[in-house]
Each structure stands twice: as C-alpha cells, then as structure tokens.
Amino acid sequence: MVWTSSVRCPIPIPLSSSCMTRILRCDVLNLLAENYTKIGKVERPVLVMHGTDDDVVPCHNGRKVHKLCKNPYEPLWIEGVGHNDMPEQRCLDYVRGFFEKLKEEARSKKL
C-alpha cells in the first residue's frame, strides 16, 4: 500500500473467484509498472507499508517503490501478513504518525 499526502484511502476489493484474481493480478502488474516509472517524480513525502507474505502484490514490489522514492517516509514492513489482513490499528497508527510528521514539517516551514 502506498500513501502520499494527496492519496485517499484505498478501497479493498474482495476476490471471489480465480478469474477475478487473474484480472486483478493483471491490473496490479500494470499499476506496478506505472508506479515504478512515476514514483521518482513525486516530490511529496511517500509512505509505503506492506505485508511480507502478500501474494497479490509481493513485498519486493513495495520495497522497490520505496527505494525509488525521492522523499520516502520510513517504511512499514509487517512480517507474516498478506494483502488483505494488514493489522488495522497498527496501520492506522502508522498513517497517523505520517500525517503528524507532515503537519510538523508544514508548521516549521511557516515559521
């Protein structure tokens, strides 16, 4: 999952069939290719969080996106977690910390 200061919360899509899984994986691969080519152009801070056992978007993709960021926030790699079972409170707390840091940076620039 990739968050920038201008991206809204992603909506999870439940997978109910192998056909849907294949379609989603194809779309995901296209999006990943776009992410790799565009993420280096993003000037704003970027937060990447990813489960290490994700079988929809493998964790190495998140690590690559993070590595290509111009302004990366400390990533969150969650061991033993997949694509749809990210621990909600831990993720929310992490995103909250990201937004707090953005607020602090904005305040310090105004001073």
Side-chain angles (χ1 to χ4, degrees):
M1 196 176 297
V2 177
W3 293 70
T4 73
S5 55
S6 62
V7 175
R8 295 182 186 256
C9 179
I11 300 170
I13 301 171
L15 299 177
S16 58
S17 71
S18 60
C19 179
M20 183 61 177
T21 302
R22 278 189 234 112
I23 291 168
L24 181 61
R25 284 179 194 262
C26 181
D27 288 344
V28 165
L29 291 175
N30 289 335
L31 288 173
L32 289 173
E34 264 186 51
N35 286 343
Y36 294 151
T37 61
K38 293 182 180 180
I39 196 66
K41 298 174 186 174
V42 176
E43 300 289 334
R44 303 288 297 160
V46 177
L47 177 151
V48 178
M49 65 173 77
H50 214 112
T52 61
D53 289 352
D54 191 332
D55 62 350
V56 177
V57 180
C59 190
H60 67 86
N61 292 296
R63 292 183 193 278
K64 183 173 181 181
V65 166
H66 181 262
K67 191 174 188 174
L68 294 170
C69 290
K70 280 186 181 179
N71 192 2
Y73 184 71
E74 183 66 30
L76 178 61
W77 313 121
I78 304 177
E79 293 294 324
V81 174
H83 191 78
N84 293 313
D85 60 348
M86 295 285 281
E88 184 175 323
Q89 192 59 52
R90 186 170 175 192
C91 292
L92 290 173
D93 290 344
Y94 202 70
V95 171
R96 190 174 294 115
F98 174 64
F99 288 137
E100 288 300 319
K101 183 175 180 189
L102 292 175
K103 284 183 203 175
E104 288 173 19
E105 289 176 0
R107 275 189 231 122
S108 69
K109 288 179 182 177
K110 287 182 182 178
L111 297 177

